[in-house]
Amino acid sequence: MKNNYSISSDSLKFLKKYLNGSSPTGCESEGQKIWMNYINSYVEKIQTDLYGTAVGIINPNSPYKLIIEAHVDEISWYVNYITEDGIIYVSRNGGSDHQIAPSKKVIIHTEKGFVHGIFGWPAIHTRKSSEEKSPSIDNIFVDIGVSSKTEAIDLGVHVGCIITYPDEFFIMNHNYFISRALDNKIGGFIIAEVAKMIMENNIHLKFGLYIVNSVQEEVGLRGAKMISQTIQPNMAIVTDVTHDTSSPMIDKKIQGDIKCGLGPVIGYAPSIQKNLRELIINTANSKKILFQRLVSSRYTGTDTDAFAYSNKGVSSALISIPLKYMHTTVEMVHKKDVEKAIFLIFETLQEINNSKKFFID
């Protein structure tokens, strides 16, 4: 067995396809199909729930259930209002950033297919510096090249249509993955690769492993709350992204000291169960896996909180990937952080598998 992990060319092809597919909150089916198709070879069973959370299961008959989890949904927009001139005003679907919108290309998802558009913005020549306005949810708008509301409706556009960005995955300077929706499809990639490693290394688990790709995290951890009730797990290890605080205009005294390339981030918060966290830290130290630490104070803002306080309480921990420019179309993660997170979770599962105390209910 290798004492490390590196992303293969086949895995990279999956990651690219997965990130380039759309999975806006509430409409995650395209991303889930790509993910389930990939993970199918590495699990014994796949199930989905009413709202689309996908679960791959290894050793499904075991009474002890351990979840490794990420969320598939990405932020997007809704068509909220169409003017008589065919201009579209929007509403958020998740925490979409209004400041990055002007001059971005968009895709409107309709029953007739994709309608392409742009977020317009008045030219600098036409604006008065003394009355300069910043982009806000009240003034950003989408132009789809029509001159009337009727034309827009004829194209299939109506209030409630989802709007996404078409930006696609690329690698920058050999080490950085750049894409929209790395929050948190990179987590879905990580847990899929852990399942792959378990299968390829012929690891026989004493517990049931539930590889969970949840929906609707961006609007309140909804998918995790539902699936925890369904699975009734004993333990959950969640992976998500966190802020690289080495970027300009971020206060490390407030946000913590986290940097891409220095390893995955192990979280501290009330929802994070101490013994499980310490097991992960001890595993990282024993396997010489570089990691970072982050305090999240009252809550993590991730699916960890949903699992921890569900049912009668679930032992939960959080492993995060440092990410630059969250909720933009140029989110950045370091390849080595991703690889180390995969290896850390894989080794942690083996530590749990070899420890009798975890299987006493």
Side-chain angles (χ1 to χ4, degrees):
M1 186 184 301
K2 294 180 180 179
N3 198 33
N4 56 33
Y5 165 87
S6 60
I7 297 173
S8 69
S9 58
D10 285 344
S11 297
L12 195 60
K13 287 178 184 176
F14 158 61
L15 178 60
K16 181 178 180 179
K17 184 176 181 180
Y18 184 42
L19 286 167
N20 289 349
S22 67
S23 55
T25 301
C27 300
E28 300 92 344
S29 60
E30 181 183 346
Q32 291 293 48
K33 286 175 184 176
I34 295 168
W35 187 83
M36 287 188 289
N37 184 60
Y38 181 74
I39 202 173
N40 185 56
S41 302
Y42 312 125
V43 298
E44 297 172 47
K45 181 181 179 182
I46 289 180
Q47 65 186 42
T48 58
D49 71 5
L50 181 63
Y51 277 85
T53 290
V55 185
I57 309 171
I58 299 173
N59 197 16
N61 296 321
S62 174
Y64 195 94
K65 300 176 181 179
L66 191 157
I67 283 176
I68 56 174
E69 191 261 7
H71 73 84
V72 64
D73 58 313
E74 63 176 302
I75 56 170
S76 59
W77 301 97
Y78 283 115
V79 173
N80 189 52
Y81 174 68
I82 308 172
T83 71
E84 290 304 317
D85 293 328
I87 292 295
I88 295 167
Y89 286 86
V90 298
S91 177
R92 289 187 177 94
N93 185 20
S96 301
D97 190 344
H98 53 274
Q99 291 201 38
I100 71 158
S103 82
K104 293 296 298 180
K105 296 178 183 178
V106 298
I107 295 172
I108 303 178
H109 299 241
T110 81
E111 293 178 1
K112 294 183 177 181
F114 291 152
V115 173
H116 294 268
I118 57 164
F119 271 109
W121 195 247
I124 190 170
H125 319 69
T126 67
R127 306 195 307 260
K128 295 180 180 179
S129 58
S130 60
E131 301 174 5
E132 190 74 81
K133 292 183 179 180
S134 298
S136 71
I137 193 67
D138 298 322
N139 62 24
I140 59 173
F141 60 89
V142 172
D143 189 329
I144 59 171
V146 299
S147 57
S148 70
K149 183 176 182 178
T150 300
E151 277 188 78
I153 292 171
D154 287 344
L155 289 174
V157 178
H158 58 74
V159 169
C161 284
I162 291 281
I163 304 171
T164 60
Y165 294 116
D167 302 68
E168 295 192 341
F169 168 85
F170 68 97
I171 298 174
M172 188 167 70
N173 195 22
H174 305 293
N175 286 315
Y176 279 97
F177 296 157
I178 316 294
S179 184
R180 58 169 232 287
L182 282 168
D183 174 13
N184 179 35
K185 285 184 177 178
I186 199 62
F189 173 75
I190 287 168
I191 58 177
E193 290 299 286
V194 171
K196 181 179 179 180
M197 286 188 74
I198 288 170
M199 188 279 293
E200 290 182 342
N201 288 285
N202 296 313
I203 305 298
H204 299 287
L205 298 178
K206 299 174 185 175
F207 53 85
L209 180 63
Y210 292 70
I211 302 99
V212 176
N213 213 16
S214 294
V215 298
Q216 298 194 29
E217 187 271 352
E218 297 290 356
V219 291
L221 323 180
R222 306 302 188 190
K225 291 175 181 177
M226 289 185 281
I227 203 65
S228 191
Q229 296 292 332
T230 301
I231 296 173
Q232 301 272 311
N234 301 87
M235 187 180 295
I237 299 173
V238 173
T239 181
D240 208 322
V241 293
T242 193
H243 302 289
D244 174 315
T245 61
S246 69
S247 302
M249 299 188 290
I250 298 178
D251 188 345
K252 293 181 180 179
K253 296 189 298 295
I254 304 298
Q255 300 292 339
D257 189 3
I258 301 297
K259 188 172 183 178
C260 288
L262 298 184
V265 180
I266 297 176
Y268 287 72
S271 61
I272 294 169
Q273 209 275 333
K274 178 182 177 181
N275 292 339
L276 179 55
R277 182 188 66 229
E278 292 306 304
L279 181 138
I280 294 170
I281 290 172
N282 292 338
T283 301
N285 287 330
S286 67
K287 297 297 178 180
K288 295 181 171 53
I289 302 170
L290 193 66
F291 70 93
Q292 304 175 77
R293 304 175 198 252
L294 180 68
V295 170
S296 298
S297 191
R298 296 181 66 185
Y299 50 84
T300 71
T302 73
D303 284 336
T304 312
D305 303 332
F307 286 108
Y309 303 128
S310 65
N311 307 314
K312 296 180 180 180
V314 176
S315 295
S316 301
L318 174 62
I319 299 174
S320 300
I321 299 296
L323 179 139
K324 293 183 178 183
Y325 319 126
M326 194 180 295
H327 286 201
T328 73
T329 57
V330 289
E331 294 179 337
M332 294 175 59
V333 298
H334 200 290
K335 177 183 176 184
K336 290 189 184 301
D337 294 335
V338 177
E339 292 174 336
K340 288 172 183 173
I342 292 165
F343 190 56
L344 176 56
I345 296 172
F346 173 71
E347 290 294 337
T348 297
L349 294 181
Q350 290 197 87
E351 288 293 323
I352 294 169
N353 205 40
N354 295 329
S355 177
K356 294 180 180 179
K357 67 180 180 179
F358 286 99
F359 306 110
I360 301 173
D361 291 332

PDB file of all heavy atoms in Angstrom, residues 4 56 64 69 84 117 128 132 153 169 254 258 264 277 292 298 302 313 357:
ATOM      1  N   ASN A   4       1.040   7.461   0.371  1.00  0.00           N
ATOM      2  CA  ASN A   4       0.652   8.788  -0.102  1.00  0.00           C
ATOM      3  C   ASN A   4      -0.465   8.619  -1.126  1.00  0.00           C
ATOM      4  O   ASN A   4      -0.961   7.509  -1.332  1.00  0.00           O
ATOM      5  CB  ASN A   4       1.847   9.534  -0.711  1.00  0.00           C
ATOM      6  CG  ASN A   4       2.498   8.748  -1.840  1.00  0.00           C
ATOM      7  OD1 ASN A   4       1.830   8.023  -2.583  1.00  0.00           O
ATOM      8  ND2 ASN A   4       3.810   8.879  -1.978  1.00  0.00           N
ATOM      9  N   GLY A  56     -23.287   6.632  -1.732  1.00  0.00           N
ATOM     10  CA  GLY A  56     -22.659   5.371  -2.093  1.00  0.00           C
ATOM     11  C   GLY A  56     -22.311   4.618  -0.820  1.00  0.00           C
ATOM     12  O   GLY A  56     -21.778   5.218   0.126  1.00  0.00           O
ATOM     13  N   TYR A  64     -22.943  -0.424  12.459  1.00  0.00           N
ATOM     14  CA  TYR A  64     -22.226   0.819  12.758  1.00  0.00           C
ATOM     15  C   TYR A  64     -22.056   1.590  11.457  1.00  0.00           C
ATOM     16  O   TYR A  64     -21.518   1.071  10.473  1.00  0.00           O
ATOM     17  CB  TYR A  64     -20.860   0.529  13.385  1.00  0.00           C
ATOM     18  CG  TYR A  64     -20.233   1.743  14.033  1.00  0.00           C
ATOM     19  CD1 TYR A  64     -20.407   1.990  15.389  1.00  0.00           C
ATOM     20  CD2 TYR A  64     -19.487   2.644  13.293  1.00  0.00           C
ATOM     21  CE1 TYR A  64     -19.839   3.102  16.000  1.00  0.00           C
ATOM     22  CE2 TYR A  64     -18.918   3.771  13.884  1.00  0.00           C
ATOM     23  CZ  TYR A  64     -19.093   3.993  15.235  1.00  0.00           C
ATOM     24  OH  TYR A  64     -18.541   5.101  15.841  1.00  0.00           O
ATOM     25  N   GLU A  69     -18.634  13.025   3.971  1.00  0.00           N
ATOM     26  CA  GLU A  69     -19.655  13.829   3.299  1.00  0.00           C
ATOM     27  C   GLU A  69     -19.094  15.108   2.689  1.00  0.00           C
ATOM     28  O   GLU A  69     -18.114  15.687   3.179  1.00  0.00           O
ATOM     29  CB  GLU A  69     -20.752  14.180   4.315  1.00  0.00           C
ATOM     30  CG  GLU A  69     -22.006  14.800   3.707  1.00  0.00           C
ATOM     31  CD  GLU A  69     -22.076  16.307   3.796  1.00  0.00           C
ATOM     32  OE1 GLU A  69     -21.080  16.951   4.220  1.00  0.00           O
ATOM     33  OE2 GLU A  69     -23.123  16.866   3.414  1.00  0.00           O
ATOM     34  N   GLU A  84     -40.650  45.137 -19.210  1.00  0.00           N
ATOM     35  CA  GLU A  84     -41.340  45.170 -20.504  1.00  0.00           C
ATOM     36  C   GLU A  84     -40.339  45.242 -21.661  1.00  0.00           C
ATOM     37  O   GLU A  84     -40.661  44.872 -22.795  1.00  0.00           O
ATOM     38  CB  GLU A  84     -42.319  46.352 -20.567  1.00  0.00           C
ATOM     39  CG  GLU A  84     -43.539  46.195 -19.658  1.00  0.00           C
ATOM     40  CD  GLU A  84     -44.314  44.926 -19.938  1.00  0.00           C
ATOM     41  OE1 GLU A  84     -44.522  44.587 -21.136  1.00  0.00           O
ATOM     42  OE2 GLU A  84     -44.711  44.241 -18.968  1.00  0.00           O
ATOM     43  N   GLY A 117     -26.888  34.745 -21.942  1.00  0.00           N
ATOM     44  CA  GLY A 117     -27.033  36.158 -21.635  1.00  0.00           C
ATOM     45  C   GLY A 117     -25.793  36.695 -20.963  1.00  0.00           C
ATOM     46  O   GLY A 117     -24.787  35.989 -20.814  1.00  0.00           O
ATOM     47  N   LYS A 128     -21.401  59.182 -13.777  1.00  0.00           N
ATOM     48  CA  LYS A 128     -20.844  60.364 -13.127  1.00  0.00           C
ATOM     49  C   LYS A 128     -20.062  59.917 -11.894  1.00  0.00           C
ATOM     50  O   LYS A 128     -20.617  59.233 -11.019  1.00  0.00           O
ATOM     51  CB  LYS A 128     -21.961  61.319 -12.717  1.00  0.00           C
ATOM     52  CG  LYS A 128     -22.725  61.915 -13.890  1.00  0.00           C
ATOM     53  CD  LYS A 128     -23.808  62.861 -13.407  1.00  0.00           C
ATOM     54  CE  LYS A 128     -24.577  63.463 -14.576  1.00  0.00           C
ATOM     55  NZ  LYS A 128     -25.650  64.365 -14.102  1.00  0.00           N
ATOM     56  N   GLU A 132     -21.254  57.689  -8.469  1.00  0.00           N
ATOM     57  CA  GLU A 132     -20.887  56.315  -8.803  1.00  0.00           C
ATOM     58  C   GLU A 132     -21.644  55.315  -7.929  1.00  0.00           C
ATOM     59  O   GLU A 132     -21.681  55.443  -6.707  1.00  0.00           O
ATOM     60  CB  GLU A 132     -19.388  56.115  -8.592  1.00  0.00           C
ATOM     61  CG  GLU A 132     -18.841  54.809  -9.135  1.00  0.00           C
ATOM     62  CD  GLU A 132     -18.725  54.788 -10.651  1.00  0.00           C
ATOM     63  OE1 GLU A 132     -17.741  55.328 -11.185  1.00  0.00           O
ATOM     64  OE2 GLU A 132     -19.631  54.235 -11.289  1.00  0.00           O
ATOM     65  N   ILE A 153     -40.084  35.633 -22.998  1.00  0.00           N
ATOM     66  CA  ILE A 153     -40.979  34.522 -22.668  1.00  0.00           C
ATOM     67  C   ILE A 153     -41.019  33.498 -23.800  1.00  0.00           C
ATOM     68  O   ILE A 153     -41.038  32.290 -23.566  1.00  0.00           O
ATOM     69  CB  ILE A 153     -42.388  35.056 -22.340  1.00  0.00           C
ATOM     70  CG1 ILE A 153     -42.349  35.846 -21.021  1.00  0.00           C
ATOM     71  CG2 ILE A 153     -43.402  33.908 -22.253  1.00  0.00           C
ATOM     72  CD1 ILE A 153     -43.626  36.595 -20.705  1.00  0.00           C
ATOM     73  N   PHE A 169     -13.424  24.653 -15.620  1.00  0.00           N
ATOM     74  CA  PHE A 169     -12.218  24.256 -14.896  1.00  0.00           C
ATOM     75  C   PHE A 169     -10.952  24.442 -15.729  1.00  0.00           C
ATOM     76  O   PHE A 169     -10.930  24.171 -16.927  1.00  0.00           O
ATOM     77  CB  PHE A 169     -12.363  22.780 -14.513  1.00  0.00           C
ATOM     78  CG  PHE A 169     -11.116  22.115 -14.009  1.00  0.00           C
ATOM     79  CD1 PHE A 169     -10.743  22.201 -12.676  1.00  0.00           C
ATOM     80  CD2 PHE A 169     -10.306  21.379 -14.868  1.00  0.00           C
ATOM     81  CE1 PHE A 169      -9.607  21.570 -12.209  1.00  0.00           C
ATOM     82  CE2 PHE A 169      -9.161  20.747 -14.414  1.00  0.00           C
ATOM     83  CZ  PHE A 169      -8.804  20.850 -13.074  1.00  0.00           C
ATOM     84  N   ILE A 254      -9.065  37.983  12.514  1.00  0.00           N
ATOM     85  CA  ILE A 254     -10.486  37.623  12.556  1.00  0.00           C
ATOM     86  C   ILE A 254     -10.741  36.280  11.880  1.00  0.00           C
ATOM     87  O   ILE A 254     -11.444  35.414  12.424  1.00  0.00           O
ATOM     88  CB  ILE A 254     -11.346  38.710  11.855  1.00  0.00           C
ATOM     89  CG1 ILE A 254     -11.101  40.074  12.493  1.00  0.00           C
ATOM     90  CG2 ILE A 254     -12.825  38.326  11.905  1.00  0.00           C
ATOM     91  CD1 ILE A 254     -11.472  40.163  13.956  1.00  0.00           C
ATOM     92  N   ILE A 258      -4.660  30.820   7.403  1.00  0.00           N
ATOM     93  CA  ILE A 258      -4.780  29.645   6.536  1.00  0.00           C
ATOM     94  C   ILE A 258      -4.224  29.985   5.163  1.00  0.00           C
ATOM     95  O   ILE A 258      -4.516  31.058   4.620  1.00  0.00           O
ATOM     96  CB  ILE A 258      -6.259  29.197   6.407  1.00  0.00           C
ATOM     97  CG1 ILE A 258      -6.841  28.849   7.785  1.00  0.00           C
ATOM     98  CG2 ILE A 258      -6.386  28.011   5.442  1.00  0.00           C
ATOM     99  CD1 ILE A 258      -6.187  27.684   8.483  1.00  0.00           C
ATOM    100  N   PRO A 264      -4.536  20.307   4.393  1.00  0.00           N
ATOM    101  CA  PRO A 264      -5.937  20.447   4.769  1.00  0.00           C
ATOM    102  C   PRO A 264      -6.079  21.076   6.148  1.00  0.00           C
ATOM    103  O   PRO A 264      -5.135  21.110   6.933  1.00  0.00           O
ATOM    104  CB  PRO A 264      -6.459  19.004   4.748  1.00  0.00           C
ATOM    105  CG  PRO A 264      -5.243  18.159   4.905  1.00  0.00           C
ATOM    106  CD  PRO A 264      -4.125  18.911   4.254  1.00  0.00           C
ATOM    107  N   ARG A 277     -11.842  14.505  16.462  1.00  0.00           N
ATOM    108  CA  ARG A 277     -10.876  15.475  15.954  1.00  0.00           C
ATOM    109  C   ARG A 277      -9.447  15.080  16.329  1.00  0.00           C
ATOM    110  O   ARG A 277      -8.531  15.132  15.500  1.00  0.00           O
ATOM    111  CB  ARG A 277     -11.170  16.866  16.499  1.00  0.00           C
ATOM    112  CG  ARG A 277     -10.222  17.931  15.964  1.00  0.00           C
ATOM    113  CD  ARG A 277     -10.405  19.257  16.667  1.00  0.00           C
ATOM    114  NE  ARG A 277     -10.026  19.159  18.074  1.00  0.00           N
ATOM    115  CZ  ARG A 277     -10.775  19.584  19.084  1.00  0.00           C
ATOM    116  NH1 ARG A 277     -11.950  20.119  18.864  1.00  0.00           N
ATOM    117  NH2 ARG A 277     -10.349  19.457  20.326  1.00  0.00           N
ATOM    118  N   GLN A 292      -3.374  22.183   8.798  1.00  0.00           N
ATOM    119  CA  GLN A 292      -3.559  23.477   9.450  1.00  0.00           C
ATOM    120  C   GLN A 292      -4.755  23.395  10.395  1.00  0.00           C
ATOM    121  O   GLN A 292      -5.533  22.442  10.343  1.00  0.00           O
ATOM    122  CB  GLN A 292      -3.790  24.562   8.385  1.00  0.00           C
ATOM    123  CG  GLN A 292      -2.669  24.627   7.356  1.00  0.00           C
ATOM    124  CD  GLN A 292      -2.945  25.601   6.236  1.00  0.00           C
ATOM    125  OE1 GLN A 292      -2.817  26.822   6.394  1.00  0.00           O
ATOM    126  NE2 GLN A 292      -3.332  25.080   5.072  1.00  0.00           N
ATOM    127  N   ARG A 298     -18.721  29.649  17.263  1.00  0.00           N
ATOM    128  CA  ARG A 298     -20.011  29.080  17.656  1.00  0.00           C
ATOM    129  C   ARG A 298     -20.495  27.984  16.716  1.00  0.00           C
ATOM    130  O   ARG A 298     -21.154  27.043  17.136  1.00  0.00           O
ATOM    131  CB  ARG A 298     -21.073  30.183  17.735  1.00  0.00           C
ATOM    132  CG  ARG A 298     -20.777  31.227  18.808  1.00  0.00           C
ATOM    133  CD  ARG A 298     -21.858  32.275  18.860  1.00  0.00           C
ATOM    134  NE  ARG A 298     -23.122  31.689  19.302  1.00  0.00           N
ATOM    135  CZ  ARG A 298     -24.277  32.366  19.343  1.00  0.00           C
ATOM    136  NH1 ARG A 298     -24.305  33.625  18.927  1.00  0.00           N
ATOM    137  NH2 ARG A 298     -25.374  31.787  19.749  1.00  0.00           N
ATOM    138  N   THR A 302     -20.989  24.729   8.099  1.00  0.00           N
ATOM    139  CA  THR A 302     -20.936  23.608   7.155  1.00  0.00           C
ATOM    140  C   THR A 302     -21.902  22.518   7.588  1.00  0.00           C
ATOM    141  O   THR A 302     -22.503  22.583   8.659  1.00  0.00           O
ATOM    142  CB  THR A 302     -19.513  23.013   7.088  1.00  0.00           C
ATOM    143  OG1 THR A 302     -19.258  22.282   8.301  1.00  0.00           O
ATOM    144  CG2 THR A 302     -18.457  24.095   6.900  1.00  0.00           C
ATOM    145  N   GLY A 313     -27.534  13.044  18.466  1.00  0.00           N
ATOM    146  CA  GLY A 313     -26.158  13.530  18.429  1.00  0.00           C
ATOM    147  C   GLY A 313     -25.275  12.566  17.663  1.00  0.00           C
ATOM    148  O   GLY A 313     -25.390  11.347  17.824  1.00  0.00           O
ATOM    149  N   LYS A 357     -12.869   0.428  20.096  1.00  0.00           N
ATOM    150  CA  LYS A 357     -13.729   1.289  20.913  1.00  0.00           C
ATOM    151  C   LYS A 357     -14.812   2.010  20.111  1.00  0.00           C
ATOM    152  O   LYS A 357     -15.852   2.395  20.647  1.00  0.00           O
ATOM    153  CB  LYS A 357     -12.898   2.315  21.673  1.00  0.00           C
ATOM    154  CG  LYS A 357     -12.204   3.352  20.790  1.00  0.00           C
ATOM    155  CD  LYS A 357     -11.412   4.318  21.645  1.00  0.00           C
ATOM    156  CE  LYS A 357     -10.719   5.369  20.787  1.00  0.00           C
ATOM    157  NZ  LYS A 357      -9.954   6.327  21.612  1.00  0.00           N
TER     158      LYS A 357
END
